[in-house]
């Protein structure tokens, strides 16, 4: 299926590895022009080797001065903006709320939620000039369930849903669509780190945490990151022109988080 996004100008945050990298590759396959950023310089160098056409910036999206520099780079490289993918997010601390270090709470909210504001506020003026503008925000299954021992992450990801639905209502008048994707446990290094941290707090094994997580899911497998990237390219395409304000789960139909 030709999605009709050849030449689409896309900015993807945290695209040097994980889900962001799969998104970069999916947009490239569809002929889009991609700029990305990351805090990990080594991963960015590897991305440069693998995909020389992807322009990039070193940027911590929680830092507004760095985000301003990112937008300068991205707009110079892309010549405008049609799609912003707010992908960056960190797992944050694992533990009961009364044991969470306040600095860890702040950092999780800053990177996972406030970063989306930092980028979106600078994107809107440019998206208004696009023929097919959209914003895609990464939330999580933790944005629709409680998530014991992960309160800052759950708070941030529920926040992403409220932010996204509000963007859709405010920006629809300019033709700008805003949607959130809620991944469940995604196959990759990050989920192994998350299961490990949970296992430590619960005094059990990593496998026990994975089994418990998928025990109540309709599909008993971790989510391939490519499934998320496929949804992003569809959401950014003109085929999704009336799709806005949605919180779309791609999570093996998990019925809760442990
Ligand atoms: P990841 O931990 O694999 O990290 C991806 C990239 O983000 C890395 O290259 C890292 O260097 C970069 N990064 C971290 N902090 C940054 C910052 N402050 N500024 C810029 N870049 C930064 O993450 P992932 O698993 O690819 O997750 C991507 C998004 O999907 C996140 O918002 C995450 O919360 C969400 N998500 C992931 C899962 C999962 O199971 N992996 C599940 C639900 C939601």
């Amino acid at each position: 299926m030709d999605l009709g996004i050849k030449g689409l100008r896309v900015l993807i945050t945290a695209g040097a590895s994980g889900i962001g990298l799969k998104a970069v590759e999916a947009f490239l396959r569809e002929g889009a022009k991609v700029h990305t950023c990351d805090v990990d310089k080594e991963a960015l160098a590897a991305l440069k080797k693998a995909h020389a056409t992807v322009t990039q910036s070193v940027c911590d999206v929680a830092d507004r001065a760095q985000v301003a520099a990112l937008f300068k780079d991205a707009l110079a490289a892309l010549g405008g903006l049609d799609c912003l993918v707010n992908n960056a997010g960190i797992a944050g601390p694992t533990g009961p709320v009364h044991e969470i270090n306040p600095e860890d709470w702040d950092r999780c909210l800053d990177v996972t939620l406030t970063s989306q504001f930092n980028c979106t506020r600078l994107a809107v003026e440019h998206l208004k000039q696009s023929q097919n503008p959209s914003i895609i925000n990464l939330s999580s299954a933790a944005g629709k369930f409680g998530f014991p021992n992960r309160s800052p992450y759950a708070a941030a990801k529920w926040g992403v849903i409220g932010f996204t639905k509000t963007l859709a209502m405010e920006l629809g008048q300019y033709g700008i669509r805003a949607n959130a994707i809620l991944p469940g446990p995604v196959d990759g290094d990050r989920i192994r780190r998350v299961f490990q941290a949970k296992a430590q707090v619960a005094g059990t094994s990593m496998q026990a945490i994975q089994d418990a997580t998928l025990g109540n899911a309709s599909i008993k497998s971790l989510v391939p990151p490519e499934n998320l990237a496929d949804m992003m390219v569809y959401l950014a395409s003109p085929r999704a022109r009336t799709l806005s304000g949605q919180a779309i789960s791609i999570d093996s139909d998990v019925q809760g988080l442990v």
Side-chain angles (χ1 to χ4, degrees):
M1 171 160 78
D2 178 10
L3 290 171
I5 58 168
K6 225 177 215 20
L8 196 84
R9 299 159 301 176
V10 186
L11 171 57
I12 301 171
T13 65
S17 67
I19 295 166
L21 176 57
K22 295 294 178 194
V24 167
E25 293 175 339
F27 277 104
L28 284 183
R29 268 197 305 278
E30 298 297 324
K33 276 177 83 175
V34 180
H35 188 90
T36 193
C37 74
D38 208 286
V39 281
D40 185 339
K41 291 181 187 165
E42 274 179 30
L44 280 174
L47 172 68
K48 188 92 214 154
K49 266 196 183 160
H51 302 290
T53 58
V54 177
T55 51
Q56 52 172 255
S57 308
V58 178
C59 174
D60 175 347
V61 287
D63 181 314
R64 291 201 181 102
Q66 292 186 38
V67 171
L70 163 67
F71 270 74
K72 220 170 148 209
D73 290 352
L75 291 162
L78 300 174
L81 189 67
D82 301 303
C83 178
L84 169 66
V85 181
N86 281 314
N87 167 64
I90 53 172
T94 302
V97 67
H98 52 287
E99 290 175 14
I100 300 272
N101 178 329
E103 284 77 38
D104 293 341
W105 173 281
D106 290 347
R107 179 69 184 160
C108 183
L109 272 284
D110 286 349
V111 177
T112 309
L113 175 61
T114 306
S115 70
Q116 299 197 355
F117 164 71
N118 294 343
C119 292
T120 302
R121 63 189 278 276
L122 298 186
V124 169
E125 282 312 306
H126 304 284
L127 291 172
K128 278 184 187 176
Q129 292 160 39
S130 165
Q131 296 306 304
N132 176 31
S134 66
I135 299 169
I136 299 167
N137 293 331
L138 268 288
S139 177
S140 165
K144 67 174 179 180
F145 298 119
F147 200 0
N149 293 316
R150 294 285 300 282
S151 56
Y153 186 73
K157 291 303 192 182
W158 280 76
V160 168
I161 306 293
F163 183 57
T164 305
K165 286 186 176 283
T166 302
L167 291 180
M169 294 173 78
E170 288 181 4
L171 303 177
Q173 61 186 309
Y174 311 112
I176 302 171
R177 299 175 290 105
N179 291 289
I181 296 179
L182 289 68
V186 178
D187 204 1
D189 287 345
R190 177 197 176 105
I191 203 66
R192 280 184 275 279
R193 291 194 301 272
V194 165
F195 286 160
Q196 186 66 56
K198 281 251 161 192
Q200 214 160 345
V201 169
T204 179
S205 71
M206 215 174 119
Q207 189 60 47
I209 297 292
Q210 175 163 333
D211 291 347
T213 302
L214 292 176
N216 64 11
S218 302
I219 309 290
K220 306 283 182 214
S221 63
L222 298 173
V223 176
E226 291 81 2
N227 285 186
L228 306 167
D230 288 347
M231 177 57 77
M232 290 181 209
V233 293
Y234 174 72
L235 286 175
S237 81
R239 290 182 182 249
R241 199 174 283 284
T242 55
L243 206 170
S244 194
Q246 301 306 303
I248 301 167
S249 292
I250 303 181
D251 62 1
S252 296
D253 196 29
V254 285
Q255 301 296 319
L257 295 171
V258 293

